[in-house]
Structures are given as C-alpha cells and as structure tokens.
Amino acid sequence: MTDQPSPPATAPATPPAPGRLRRWGHARRTGSRTRHLLERHLALALVLSLVGAGSLLVSYRAADRAAYELRTAAAPAVVDVASTRLALLRSYEEARASVDSGLAPVVDAGEEYRAQWAVAFQGHARLARNQIDGSRGKAIIEPLYGLMGAYAQSVNLATTRQVDATHADELLREQRLREADYVLRRPVTGMVSRLDLLQANQLEKVEADVSFGPARYAGWAVAELALVALFVTVLSALRVLRRRCGRRYELSLVAALLLTAALAVLPLWAAAVTHHRLDASHRALRALATDAVSASPRVESAQQTLADRIPRVHAGLADDGRPPWVHYSILTGGVLVCVLPVAGCARRLNADYWRAAG
C-alpha cells in the first residue's frame, strides 16, 4: 500500500493591512454621509422651491389683479357716479335758469336741461351694470331709477311751453321746480345723497383692493423667506459637491442660484411699483370724487374739470397693467426654480451614489 501524497497545505489568508482597512471604512462612511447630506439638500430644495414659487405667483397675481380691477371696473364706476351727480345738478341749474329768465314758455328752451338729463340717465344705466359695491350698491341704484323719473317729470312740467302763460302758470312752474329740487337734494333719500353714499362705498372698496393688508404682506413674506432659504440651500449643495465630491461646479445648481436671486428681487420690485401707482390712482380718484361733491352751486366748471381729469386718470391706470409676458416669465421662472435644484442634486446622486449602490 503506497502512501498517497498529502494535499499541499494552504497558506493562511493574509488580512488586509490595518491602515488600508481604515481608509476603506472611512471612504465608505464618508460616501454614505455625503449621499445622505445631498439627499437632504434635495428634499429641502424641493420643498422650499415649491413654497417659494407658489407664494410668489399667488402674491404677484394678486397685485396684478388689483391693478386690472381698478383699471377696468373701479375707476369707471367712480367716474360714472361723479359725472351722473354733476349732470343732475347741471340739469337743475339749466331748468332754473330757463324759468328765471322767462324762456321756459319758448319752444326748445329746455334743450340744455334735456341734454344734461340724458347724460345723467346714461350714467345711471352704466352704474346699474358696472357698479362695484355689489348688493349694497344695487340697493342704492334701483330706487334711483324711480327718483330720476319723478325728477324728470317735475322739471319737464316746469320747462314745457304752456298754452296760456298766466301768473298761476308761473306759480306752478316754481312749485314744480321746488319738487324737483326736493327729489334731487333731499337728505338721505334724495338722488344726490344716494349717489354720495354709493361713491363713498365704492371708494372704500377701492381702498381695500389697492392697499397691502396683512394677508398680502404675509404672502410676500412667505415667498421671500422661502426663496432666501432656497438660495442658501443651493449654495450649501454647491459647497458639498465641491468639497466632498470634487465637483467644482454643477451648472444646474449655479443656474438655480442665479434664478432664485432674480425671483427674490425682480417680482417684488415690480409689485412695489404697481402698489405705488395704485396708491397714486386711488388718490386721484378720491380727489375727483371730492371735487364733484364740492361743485355746488355752479357745476359747469366742475364738469369741465372732470372732463380734463378723466384722461389723466386713465393714463395713470394704463401704466399699472403689466404686459402678459411678465406674468408668464414669473411662471416660467417659478417652474425652473423648482426643477433646476432638484435636477442638479439628483444628477450627482445618480452618477456618484445611487447607481453604484444598485
């Protein structure tokens, strides 16, 4: 029986050098911490970008909508009340002048009165369609239609040519004019008082629409704070990539950094300019309404002043409207500021960590 050769003895496995093992473990732990750090930056950037962009769009849209409403609804309504008030007062002045001068019995002597009453009637029709005071304004305007009918009937009887011009007829004209004046200037329920109340309510609503209340300040504060925090987060992500990953620049994050700074400054500046112009337009409308109220007893010059001011008011309001591309630019910038930071962090995580881990 021959001796079989014994298998060669295997050499014991050489353990890795302690220094190399420590470096491998340190690299693994460092890579894991860097990945978690970038993932936290990714999640934080996503939340902050959504909050900042959403608050910015809502806040700027509110300022832009206030300018649009003032230009298309509030300013015309205030002008309509002022012009209707002055036209009613002017129509009474013309009727009184016609009677006092003795021209009332003459055919077509009341044409100026009728022209002013037609202006007032058209203004009332526009107010019935476009007044901005809602149901409260409707409750004021609806009775005004009946009062205008009674007023027109009284003045027509006072200025219409009669068959026999007698002393009794003159007394009747005076009585009709007193009735018209009562309907026109009666406290609380007269036409002028109703128009003054409607105007005061409309100016109150305009002031509420154009002023920056707590809700609007809160919206802008949330937007600005979120964008500033997003700027810091993106800057921190760039530093992490540079120090731990050897990436000098990540173009997506650099673009997001610049875009965040622009969105934090430019829309706020545009909204501040809009707010300043809205305040100026509100003051101009209030001055216009005040001049219409203080026009007694002669209103012809007040009507001319109103006609001169209306184009300037409309010109100032036309500057308040931002062109559509500004809103679309903010919308596009808001989308990009949400996408770019997330894309930059996710790209580096996928290239350096997620793919290697899978």
Side-chain angles (χ1 to χ4, degrees):
M1 187 172 187
T2 60
D3 295 335
Q4 295 182 358
S6 60
T10 58
T14 304
R20 185 177 179 182
L21 183 62
R22 283 196 301 271
R23 285 195 299 271
W24 177 81
H26 176 72
R28 186 176 180 86
R29 290 193 303 272
T30 303
S32 178
R33 287 199 300 268
T34 303
R35 186 190 70 185
H36 292 321
L37 186 60
L38 285 177
E39 287 174 344
R40 286 195 293 270
H41 279 79
L42 173 64
L44 186 59
L46 179 60
V47 173
L48 291 174
S49 62
L50 289 174
V51 173
S55 301
L56 181 66
L57 287 171
V58 171
S59 300
Y60 183 81
R61 183 60 179 166
D64 192 56
R65 186 171 59 250
Y68 176 79
E69 292 293 333
L70 182 62
R71 183 172 62 255
T72 59
V78 171
V79 170
D80 284 340
V81 172
S83 62
T84 301
R85 187 185 195 280
L86 291 177
L88 286 171
L89 291 173
R90 177 78 182 279
S91 69
Y92 181 81
E93 282 189 0
E94 295 297 333
R96 168 57 68 181
S98 177
V99 172
D100 291 344
S101 64
L103 294 176
V106 179
V107 177
D108 295 336
E111 288 303 313
E112 185 61 32
Y113 147 72
R114 293 185 182 91
Q116 294 297 326
W117 189 87
V119 171
F121 187 79
Q122 292 171 3
H124 175 268
R126 289 193 301 270
L127 283 172
R129 294 192 306 267
N130 304 324
Q131 61 87 20
I132 61 172
D133 198 29
S135 58
R136 185 172 58 171
K138 186 178 180 181
I140 297 173
I141 290 175
E142 285 184 346
L144 193 61
Y145 184 79
L147 292 175
M148 290 184 72
Y151 169 80
Q153 183 179 7
S154 296
V155 177
N156 280 329
L157 290 174
T159 57
T160 302
R161 179 174 180 268
Q162 305 295 328
V163 177
D164 295 321
T166 62
H167 179 66
D169 183 58
E170 294 301 322
L171 293 178
L172 182 60
R173 292 182 192 279
E174 288 294 333
Q175 178 63 28
R176 294 302 185 185
L177 281 179
R178 283 195 295 269
E179 291 175 359
D181 183 67
Y182 183 71
V183 174
L184 180 65
R185 294 187 172 92
R186 181 173 51 194
V188 181
T189 57
M191 291 190 294
V192 169
S193 297
R194 287 180 179 274
L195 288 172
D196 290 344
L197 177 60
L198 178 65
Q199 189 75 295
N201 292 341
Q202 289 192 151
L203 289 174
E204 181 182 342
K205 187 176 186 306
V206 170
E207 184 176 4
D209 289 340
V210 304
S211 63
F212 258 46
R216 292 186 183 178
Y217 277 117
W220 281 106
V222 170
E224 293 298 315
L225 288 174
L227 289 173
V228 170
L230 177 62
F231 185 90
V232 174
T233 301
V234 174
L235 188 62
S236 176
L238 282 171
R239 294 182 62 185
V240 169
L241 290 176
R242 181 179 179 183
R243 292 185 175 183
R244 299 198 176 200
C245 303
R247 305 286 181 181
R248 190 175 183 88
Y249 297 109
E250 174 59 41
L251 293 181
S252 298
L253 294 181
V254 173
L257 197 68
L258 297 177
L259 186 59
T260 302
L263 285 177
V265 174
L266 295 180
L268 182 61
W269 171 81
V273 172
T274 299
H275 178 60
H276 175 73
R277 288 175 176 169
L278 289 177
D279 279 343
S281 299
H282 174 240
R283 289 194 299 270
L285 289 174
R286 186 171 288 279
L288 184 147
T290 302
D291 290 345
V293 170
S294 59
S296 299
R298 296 292 297 177
V299 296
E300 185 175 357
S301 60
Q303 281 184 312
Q304 185 60 46
T305 302
L306 178 66
D308 294 338
R309 282 192 173 189
I310 288 174
R312 294 199 296 268
V313 171
H314 286 315
L317 288 171
D319 293 336
D320 290 336
R322 294 281 181 260
W325 63 265
V326 175
H327 181 260
Y328 293 141
S329 298
I330 295 177
L331 178 62
T332 304
V335 172
L336 289 176
V337 86
C338 294
V339 171
L340 289 175
V342 175
C345 291
R347 181 180 172 216
R348 292 272 59 90
L349 282 166
N350 184 60
D352 295 342
Y353 297 101
W354 290 339
R355 185 179 299 174

